[in-house]
Amino acid sequence: MARAASKTSSSDSRVKFSHLDKLMFPEANVTKGEILKFYADISKFLLPHLRNRPATLERLPDGINGQRFFQKNAPDYYPDWIPRINLPTEEGKPVNYVIVNDLDTLLYLVNQGTITFHAHLSRIDSLEQPDYVLFDLDPGEREFKDVITIAKAIHKLLDAKKVKHFIKTSGKRGLHILSKPKVKTYEEGRAWAVTIAEQVVAQLPQIATMERSIAKRGGRLYLDVMQNSLGKHVVPPYVLRATPLATVSTPLEWKEVTPRLNPKKFTMDAVVKRVKGRRDLMASLLK
């Protein structure tokens, strides 16, 4: 990738790169330059999922063993060509979110130490209406096979209701199911997700729960639908996570969702090879 191969950007880019040899993932032996290359290589697939969505940046400027912080407010020193949107918090405090709509913005933010991008479930032209409803399956203390069991139960229910839905690795230990029910508000979407989750918990009470208190879960997997709220965010597909092996949140085909599935295999190189010559499995999520 020409843009991240040298200390400065190529003539068609507004971005200058620095410290490309810095080791960001020691166990995976991944440098900052390799992260920039990954994001440039995957940008054709990733950018449509970030476009026009307020973004929260998970920054680790010195790598995954250094300081980690989540940034919502864009600093004043960010270039003027990076778009922003000012939105209030629940307390009324203004937040200047960045909007990641092009490759230069994406790579500028990665050069600033962003490892992971988190995006709102709705876009700036329709902030009150989510584009999809999220089911977040984090194994917690459970084995990954239980995540598969719960994912398949949700899949069966949504198929029966003829609701379009997609699945991806979270990039860490879990799975995300993104569904497209006909809802107009976050409140409608969350209420609908609760009804689905309650049915799954009733079917699988030994391994699934909607109990938000960790102490009361009894070792069961928390089926999280509470991220379906205005101002909350999710990791889009094709985003790198701050894990020791530098794994990526990766769209899956449902036939891949078996006990043999291993989220750790979706490294940067593996995902770039996986999408080569293929379409985005989640392209219709954006329609």
Side-chain angles (χ1 to χ4, degrees):
M1 181 195 69
R3 293 192 182 192
S6 63
K7 297 295 182 185
T8 59
S9 59
S10 57
S11 59
D12 63 336
S13 172
R14 293 171 287 191
V15 188
K16 294 184 178 181
F17 303 107
S18 59
H19 308 296
L20 299 185
D21 296 330
K22 180 186 288 187
L23 192 61
M24 303 293 282
F25 291 81
E27 185 174 330
N29 196 32
V30 170
T31 65
K32 183 179 177 182
E34 289 168 323
I35 296 172
L36 283 160
K37 183 179 188 307
F38 163 74
Y39 271 116
D41 289 345
I42 207 69
S43 60
K44 179 179 76 171
F45 293 87
L46 170 59
L47 283 172
H49 293 280
L50 290 172
R51 192 174 310 281
N52 287 339
R53 298 180 192 277
T56 297
L57 311 177
E58 187 176 346
R59 295 180 60 189
L60 297 93
D62 295 313
I64 64 168
N65 293 333
Q67 181 187 13
R68 178 199 308 247
F69 57 95
F70 289 82
Q71 176 185 302
K72 293 187 177 183
N73 257 316
D76 292 339
Y77 63 80
Y78 277 10
D80 291 342
W81 47 262
I82 292 181
R84 299 143 165 97
I85 183 171
N86 195 285
L87 299 174
T89 64
E90 291 181 358
E91 296 77 26
K93 182 180 178 181
V95 177
N96 222 16
Y97 290 93
V98 295
I99 307 294
V100 188
N101 283 355
D102 57 65
L103 181 59
D104 281 348
T105 299
L106 179 70
L107 296 186
Y108 177 89
L109 297 172
V110 173
N111 190 63
Q112 291 288 316
T114 301
I115 296 291
T116 304
F117 294 85
H118 302 256
H120 282 211
L121 283 66
S122 53
R123 287 175 269 201
I124 58 177
D125 55 351
S126 54
L127 281 171
E128 300 290 337
Q129 181 171 3
D131 291 323
Y132 52 84
V133 172
L134 171 69
F135 297 88
D136 185 357
L137 311 181
D138 186 336
E141 301 174 14
R142 308 296 305 188
E143 296 182 23
F144 189 66
K145 66 178 182 179
D146 293 330
V147 180
I148 298 295
T149 299
I150 294 171
K152 286 187 170 182
I154 296 173
H155 178 45
K156 185 176 181 180
L157 280 172
L158 298 188
D159 264 357
K161 295 178 180 295
K162 293 182 169 53
V163 174
K164 186 180 291 187
H165 57 286
F166 308 83
I167 189 166
K168 68 181 182 73
T169 66
S170 68
K172 292 188 173 180
R173 299 177 58 237
L175 296 173
H176 291 161
I177 296 174
L178 285 66
S179 58
K180 298 277 288 183
K182 294 180 179 179
V183 297
K184 294 184 178 180
T185 66
Y186 277 98
E187 289 74 18
E188 287 181 18
R190 187 169 61 255
W192 175 84
V194 165
T195 65
I196 300 297
E198 287 175 341
Q199 292 176 64
V200 172
V201 169
Q203 291 175 21
L204 302 166
Q206 300 304 313
I207 64 173
T209 182
M210 293 185 67
E211 176 57 61
R212 301 185 71 179
S213 168
I214 296 176
K216 296 179 180 178
R217 290 177 193 168
R220 293 169 294 175
L221 183 150
Y222 175 46
L223 179 44
D224 186 5
V225 297
M226 292 299 110
Q227 290 298 101
N228 296 292
S229 299
L230 181 62
K232 299 290 187 180
H233 49 69
V234 67
V235 172
Y238 308 107
V239 163
L240 178 63
R241 303 304 303 270
T243 63
L245 297 180
T247 45
V248 176
S249 181
T250 306
L252 303 169
E253 297 183 67
W254 277 101
K255 66 182 181 182
E256 297 178 281
V257 184
T258 73
R260 296 186 300 275
L261 178 65
N262 180 9
K264 291 182 180 180
K265 77 175 186 178
F266 297 106
T267 60
M268 295 189 301
D269 286 345
V271 171
V272 170
K273 290 177 183 176
R274 175 181 170 88
V275 301
K276 188 174 182 180
R278 299 178 65 180
R279 64 180 181 85
D280 177 10
L281 291 175
M282 287 189 161
S284 59
L285 179 72
L286 303 174
K287 294 181 180 178

